[in-house]
Every structure is written in C-alpha cells, then in structure tokens.
Amino acid sequence: MNLRTAARGFVAFLLSVPALQGNDDWAFTYPSRNICALRGSTVEIRCNYKYPYATIVEKILWFTNKHNEPVDLRDDTDYTGRVEYSCFRHSCTWSSCTGTCKLIIEDLRQSDSAEYKFRITANNGGALSDLPGVKLSVTDHRVEVIILPRPTSQNWLELECHRMCNLTGYRTYSNWYRNEIQQRHQGYSYWFNINSEYRVSCAATGFEHLPSPSVYAPETPLVGWTPPGVIKEGSSVNLTCTSEANPVAKYTWTKVTTGHPPGHSVQGQQLSFHPIQSSHSGQYLCKAENDLGTKTSSPFSIDVKYGPKHTSVIPSPPGEIKEDGSVTLSCSSDAS
C-alpha cells in the first residue's frame, strides 16, 4: 500500500495548541488532547518541535502507551503498511531550530485507539515530552436525533442531528428523513409538530447509508394483564401498558367512572393490585407520553369475580306474619 497516494476516506486534520516541555531549549507543540476519527479512515497527527542549534538529530519516532518502552510505530507489527511519517525542518537561528513531524495512520482500526507521543533522539541525549500525548478514539460513524428544550406555549419542537464522534476538521450538514423518505430540508435542525404521526431520522452528508434511529411520538398503547383468565378477588393482578415510542414513553394510569372525570392517576408502566378487590372493577385508561406527543389507550375493563357475601332473607310482605296468611321469603346475596 502506498501511503503517499491520496488517503482513502476521511482525514482528520488537527488544530495545534501549545504543549511545551519544561526545558526552554526543547519545545513540543502537540495537537488538541483528544481527537475522534472513523474506523477505516485516515488520521493525521502533527507535532511542531524546537531543539538547540548545535543538536544533531539522530532519530525521530512516534509511539503509543500500549508498550512499556517506546516502540517506533514503523516497527510495530500492529501498524505494518499503515503508518507514514512526514517530517521536515523549518528554519534555524543562532540558538535553535524548528521543525514539524506528522504521523499519518491509514485504514484506522478500533484497536488504534490509544495515546500517541512524539520523540526525538539526539546526540546530546535526546528529548522526550513528559506531557500527555494525543488521545485518539476510533469509532464507527453514529448519529442520533436529540430534542431541544420546548419553547413555551408552542406546538413545535426543534430536533438536532448530533454526531456521536465530533470529527475534528469535518463539518457537514444533515439530511433529514420522514418515515425513511428523504426530505428536501437540509441543515443541523428540524422542526417537529407535536403529536405528528411520522417518524424522523437524520444522516450526515456523505454518510447517508448510516442514518440515525428514528424518533417519534408514542403509538396507541395496548393493555394486557397477568395472570391471564378470570380475575378472582384476593388474587394478585398486574396490568401492563406498552407503546412503541422513541424516546421511551412514560405511562400514566387512571380509572374511569361513568359520568365523572378520571380519578386519581398512577405513574408507571404497570398497575398492580395485591390483592385485587371487587371495588377495583371498572374501566382503566393508560396514557403514553414522550416529548414528541401523547396517546391514550382504549378503555380496559376489569371484572373482578367473587363469591357470595352479605347474604340476607327478606320477607314479603314485611311485618308481622299471621297464621293462614301468605308470605314470600327472598334470599339476597352480593356475588359475581
């Protein structure tokens, strides 16, 4: 593989910030402390350096924190055929010389995630920066849709396409999709009407084949119960509400009384009765809600079965019973 040819994929170029060694005769300027690059792409890490004029540079190398002793990446079998140094001297004064050395790693792998440092070996003993090096994180390209805080009294939300890996030197717009169909709209944000039925996703330009997961309001919740079958008084019963949504929905239960507004609300995906009583019979509603909207289930009826109770005998007609008269005795009991 010829690393001097144009690098395949994305190349991350880094802005330099001062990172000087304590000795004034030697100085190193490293890139930013943390960088992120995509698996399979190429990264370029730069170090500007200064050394005394009389110094004879014998060797330069880049190494990682993977080994106990500095190992030249060109001799590290993990980087065979994928590493190149591009180093040159800028200028010299009566006291010092300056130069730049770039480390280029091609076809990045996740195992390349490490801390990288630059070293000079010279005739006077050499110089090694004692400062932290450049921490490289290699990852797959991932994006997600984040929901920005809702403006007051508005039915619209602003969605933003967020890259999980902040690629240095790489700026791009986002493509937006509604129900997996690309929209004409491009940009960093998208306005979503609350309770809309469609699903929204995004992808960075150049990475359309790697879209984010879709975000959407809850679908109509479904209610089930365990254990299945007849609900008997005194048993333990759990109602469970489920709704497909992203972000994950929050659930609220209310009992419906005919002719009255919904009663006390209970939070949670499950509504539990331990034990269930005959007074729990009735209709229940489950509401699923996230930042993008709200949906309510159809009424779910509970009919609690129980044995006879409050049994009594009622004579008719009431009052004193006379001999040769007629009387009817009725037996009454509450049961289901």
Side-chain angles (χ1 to χ4, degrees), residues 62-71 73 76 79 111-118 132-136:
W62 288 89
F63 64 98
T64 70
N65 61 347
K66 296 180 181 179
H67 306 285
N68 294 329
E69 296 293 333
V71 175
L73 290 181
D76 191 330
Y79 295 87
S111 60
D112 295 335
S113 297
E115 184 176 12
Y116 291 80
K117 288 187 177 183
F118 175 69
V134 180
K135 292 183 179 179
L136 173 66

Side-chain angles (χ1 to χ4, degrees), residues 229-297:
V230 175
I231 299 176
K232 297 181 180 180
E233 187 175 45
S235 63
S236 294
V237 176
N238 295 311
L239 302 186
T240 302
C241 187
T242 56
S243 173
E244 191 174 346
N246 188 27
V248 175
K250 296 180 180 179
Y251 299 93
T252 304
W253 294 89
T254 53
K255 185 178 180 180
V256 180
T257 303
T258 305
H260 295 82
H264 177 68
S265 297
V266 176
Q267 304 292 327
Q269 189 172 9
Q270 276 197 342
L271 181 61
S272 299
F273 303 92
H274 302 299
I276 196 166
Q277 305 294 329
S278 58
S279 58
H280 293 140
S281 294
Q283 291 188 325
Y284 291 81
L285 296 175
C286 169
K287 181 178 71 175
E289 182 178 17
N290 66 10
D291 290 331
L292 302 179
T294 303
K295 277 290 180 66
T296 302
S297 70

